[in-house]
Amino acid sequence: MPTDSRPIGIFDSGIGGLTVTAAIRQALPQERLLYFGDNAHMPYGARSLGEVRDFSVAITKALLAEGCKLIVIACNTASAAALAAVREHWPDVPFVGMEPAVKPAVEHTHTGVVGVIATVATFQSDLYTSIVERFSQGVEVLHQPCPGLVKQIEAGEFDTPRTEQMLRGWLEPMLARRIDALVLGCTHYPIVRPLIERIVGPDVRVIDPAPAVARQVGRLLHERGIAARYVDGGLEIRTSGDPAAFASMMERIGMGRLEVRGAHWDSGTLRFD
Ligand code: DGL
């Protein structure tokens, strides 16, 4: 089969989608990745689904103009807001989105109670409602929005007393109701996974769908015959925020020192600098 060296486009409101990017890089090191963090509009979770959908459509357009062969919406909020719309708009482009991993949580539980944490907008979406309807199978699914947590993470407050206090406020009531699985329904949250695990303790399984999403990307590339072979793909990063700040956050989450380039919004159109 021929090699297809066009990049995979990946986007999020900020650094959250890097947790998914890291899993894709690990599973598919030969693929070229082009990542965009929309820090100018972060956080998405406090916005209306319509607004997030418009950003997502414009970002998809910009990534396709760069020649991307597949798009990963590495953001639960943007997936909930826009996955159906972009699939309809570009029926020939393969898209992979994030959805809260309710199914593996339900399969794991012994107490019959599981928890999901995500943004306010994600919980308002039809996608979330339909996932719970499809996969809960009599298990009680508690949902807890975490307003402000994405901003804490983007500010680098991964393990500060304030972030711990916020998380305890959301997680302790769910622990009191005996959850034994907790779904990370926002791609920023795995960045604070060590703190979350410390709070919930060893009896609660914390579920991050990123490795499953990376496998799904690999499957789609093979099905469509558009996988890359042999070479180290590389990772190109863009942000609509401050490139230097983004680069230092990437270093803090263990992705090394990489060049980050800018991008800007121009009356609803995204342009890469
Ligand atoms: N990483 C995004 C998600 O998965 C965060 C959304 C936000 O910016 O609030 O939902």
Side-chain angles (χ1 to χ4, degrees):
M1 214 182 268
T3 182
D4 188 334
S5 58
R6 289 176 297 159
I8 295 173
I10 308 173
F11 72 91
D12 176 49
S13 62
I15 59 171
L18 293 171
T19 61
V20 183
T21 303
I24 295 173
R25 248 177 110 52
Q26 194 174 16
L28 305 164
Q30 71 282 16
E31 295 292 341
R32 261 175 77 198
L33 308 181
L34 169 54
Y35 185 90
F36 173 66
D38 192 11
N39 293 69
H41 294 135
M42 186 279 298
Y44 278 2
R47 294 176 182 271
S48 74
L49 289 166
E51 203 177 4
V52 175
R53 186 194 54 228
D54 291 347
F55 296 148
S56 304
V57 168
I59 295 166
T60 300
K61 225 176 250 172
L63 291 171
L64 291 175
E66 295 290 306
C68 291
K69 60 184 174 182
L70 178 150
I71 306 287
V72 181
I73 306 188
C75 173
N76 289 77
T77 309
S79 299
L83 196 54
V86 292
R87 281 189 171 137
E88 198 178 297
H89 205 285
W90 290 279
D92 299 330
V93 175
F95 287 94
V96 176
M98 307 297 302
E99 53 179 50
V102 170
K103 189 167 179 250
V106 164
E107 282 164 3
H108 168 83
T109 187
H110 296 291
T111 60
V113 191
V114 304
V116 181
I117 52 175
T119 66
V120 173
T122 294
F123 286 126
Q124 283 166 350
S125 67
D126 294 341
L127 181 71
Y128 180 72
T129 312
S130 82
I131 284 167
V132 173
E133 269 167 18
R134 257 186 299 149
F135 298 121
S136 59
Q137 293 178 33
V139 164
E140 195 176 353
V141 182
L142 307 179
H143 66 264
Q144 177 61 61
C146 302
L149 183 55
V150 164
K151 271 184 129 170
Q152 283 294 107
I153 294 169
E154 289 278 346
E157 305 234 359
F158 303 160
D159 200 348
T160 60
R162 173 79 189 125
T163 306
E164 175 164 359
Q165 184 196 28
M166 290 167 86
L167 276 166
R168 282 193 185 279
W170 294 312
L171 298 175
E172 280 170 357
M174 288 201 279
L175 293 172
R177 295 187 55 189
R178 300 192 63 233
I179 60 162
D180 62 356
L182 177 69
V183 177
L184 305 184
C186 167
T187 55
H188 278 76
Y189 301 170
I191 296 172
V192 291
R193 184 174 183 150
L195 176 55
I196 290 173
E197 281 179 336
R198 212 165 68 222
I199 295 169
V200 299
D203 297 336
V204 176
R205 179 159 167 197
V206 175
I207 300 173
D208 169 13
V213 167
R215 285 195 296 277
Q216 168 67 2
V217 171
R219 263 195 304 273
L220 259 180
L221 292 174
H222 283 100
E223 263 169 43
R224 303 256 180 151
I226 54 172
R229 279 157 224 284
Y230 315 123
V231 287
D232 178 356
L235 171 59
E236 194 182 314
I237 313 282
R238 304 271 187 169
T239 175
S240 56
D242 173 10
F246 199 94
S248 72
M249 289 300 281
M250 284 192 72
E251 213 171 354
R252 275 200 59 195
I253 63 172
M255 294 195 71
R257 187 86 201 167
L258 285 166
E259 189 201 354
V260 178
R261 296 168 69 188
H264 64 275
W265 287 95
D266 176 5
S267 339
T269 301
L270 177 64
R271 303 198 193 281
F272 291 141
D273 299 340

